Amino acid sequence: MDERSAIAVMSGERRDAVAAVLRGMCGAAALGYAAVIRCRNAAYDRGWFRVERATVPVISVGNITTGGTGKTPVVAWLVEELIRRGYHPGILSRGYRSLDGHANDEARVLQRLCPGTPHIQQRDRVAGARLAVREHGCDVLVLDDGYQHRRLYRDLDVLLIDALRPWGFGSVLPRGLLREPLTALWRADVVGITRAEPELLSRALPQIQPLLRRHRGDEAAALIRFVPQGWISGVGAALGATAFTTSRAAAFCGIGNPAGFLQTLAKQTQVVAERTFPDHHHYGSADLDELDAWRRELGVEVLATTLKDLVKIPADHPVAAHTFALDIRSQLGLGSERLIAALDCLCPSRCPQRRAA
């Protein structure tokens, strides 16, 4: 079953008998998964599992659901803010679905967005933290996708919730998209709601705020929008954000939440067709040939995609000249003062009340 079919089952979009049986089976499996996660969290909360502390502050950016909530542009924003404050930050990540020992797609995107910033991809994030400090001289670390990685102590835990699909259909894996039960919301120091467009917030906030109050005691959250800055082509050309406003384009992507990307894209160009691939998809030559044939069949000159997909397309393939990615950056809005204040307090000399490292 592919991702789109799985979502149709989880969400209840499919209502046939087979889908009902699958939901029942997944619901039973989810009970076991939730029990394991609760036991693991309890072991960390009670000190039964050891938590390692880095010698420098650690900021974690993560989510409570699978799929894309926009972590990468938020990590890039944090890195820029830390540099502006005089820090030398490093990025830590697991390196999920890297290919042949090379950096994965998210690392390649961050290399473009944060040039010169060390990025350590290693399953053992504690060892990665030591390496970043010892060999790269980093004085603060940003842990990408780290909310469930509890072995490395963090000075600031930032949890992102997607306004488009906030709670992953209300169940843990495999019945829904939650990585852990919603009781885990209490661990976050700062909550950010991504894709905070007015039309989405009007539907999302009534779903988000009651659960934040229940599990955290308040509904405070920073609103984060993703704003297109321009287009980047597969051969390295840069264009303005309005370059394709009147153009017909075909869209493709292999990300965790295609709907969020397609919604943003619809404001930048006229999408006539779309195609999705699994998250972190590696594009082989057959895929690229097929995309180019698809473009010609549709009679369009523009294949619109994400930067995460573009970095995996070789510049020497013919399709690259017709492939353009939106360069999207984070823009913080209402409620962001808590995050800003937390960043200002990272250094003990600036904020003596900071928690001991």
Side-chain angles (χ1 to χ4, degrees), residues 219-276:
E219 59 189 41
L223 303 184
I224 304 172
R225 297 177 61 226
F226 297 139
V227 181
Q229 302 295 304
W231 294 87
I232 301 172
S233 81
V235 293
L239 294 84
T242 60
F244 300 125
T245 303
T246 60
S247 301
R248 297 170 69 251
F252 73 95
C253 62
I255 58 175
N257 188 352
F261 164 65
L262 293 170
Q263 184 175 67
T264 300
L265 186 63
K267 300 177 182 179
Q268 304 301 129
T269 189
Q270 299 177 30
V271 179
V272 298
E274 60 190 57
R275 181 173 292 185
T276 60

Side-chain angles (χ1 to χ4, degrees), residues 129-327:
R130 296 191 186 112
L131 180 65
V133 174
R134 183 178 67 248
E135 297 193 7
H136 298 280
C138 298
D139 53 13
V140 62
L141 301 172
V142 179
L143 180 59
D144 184 16
D145 196 13
Y147 199 69
Q148 286 74 38
H149 180 84
R150 301 194 58 184
R151 183 170 160 242
L152 179 62
Y153 176 84
R154 64 287 317 276
D155 297 76
L156 178 63
D157 235 329
V158 180
L159 174 67
L160 303 181
I161 299 171
D162 185 359
L164 194 60
R165 198 165 60 194
W167 305 125
F169 312 120
S171 299
V172 299
L173 294 164
R175 174 60 183 84
L177 297 176
L178 286 171
R179 294 178 170 185
E180 51 185 321
L182 291 178
T183 50
L185 288 170
W186 72 268
R187 297 201 312 267
D189 296 304
V190 177
V191 173
I193 300 175
T194 60
R195 298 190 176 90
E197 305 294 338
E199 62 271 20
L200 288 180
L201 283 176
S202 62
R203 299 194 302 270
L205 288 180
Q207 301 177 53
I208 294 173
Q209 289 175 331
L211 290 174
L212 289 181
R213 286 195 299 270
R214 181 187 306 172
H215 296 292
R216 295 177 51 77
D218 67 63
E219 59 189 41
L223 303 184
I224 304 172
R225 297 177 61 226
F226 297 139
V227 181
Q229 302 295 304
W231 294 87
I232 301 172
S233 81
V235 293
L239 294 84
T242 60
F244 300 125
T245 303
T246 60
S247 301
R248 297 170 69 251
F252 73 95
C253 62
I255 58 175
N257 188 352
F261 164 65
L262 293 170
Q263 184 175 67
T264 300
L265 186 63
K267 300 177 182 179
Q268 304 301 129
T269 189
Q270 299 177 30
V271 179
V272 298
E274 60 190 57
R275 181 173 292 185
T276 60
F277 295 86
D279 193 15
H280 298 282
H281 182 70
H282 293 293
Y283 294 95
S285 57
D287 293 320
L288 300 177
D289 292 343
E290 185 179 344
L291 284 171
D292 203 28
W294 180 54
R295 176 192 65 79
R296 293 194 303 271
E297 179 184 340
L298 292 170
V300 299
E301 289 298 313
V302 176
L303 286 175
T305 192
T306 72
L307 194 53
K308 180 176 167 181
D309 293 285
L310 186 72
V311 296
K312 294 180 287 188
I313 296 176
D316 58 358
H317 192 281
V319 78
H322 299 276
T323 304
F324 298 83
L326 272 179
D327 180 11

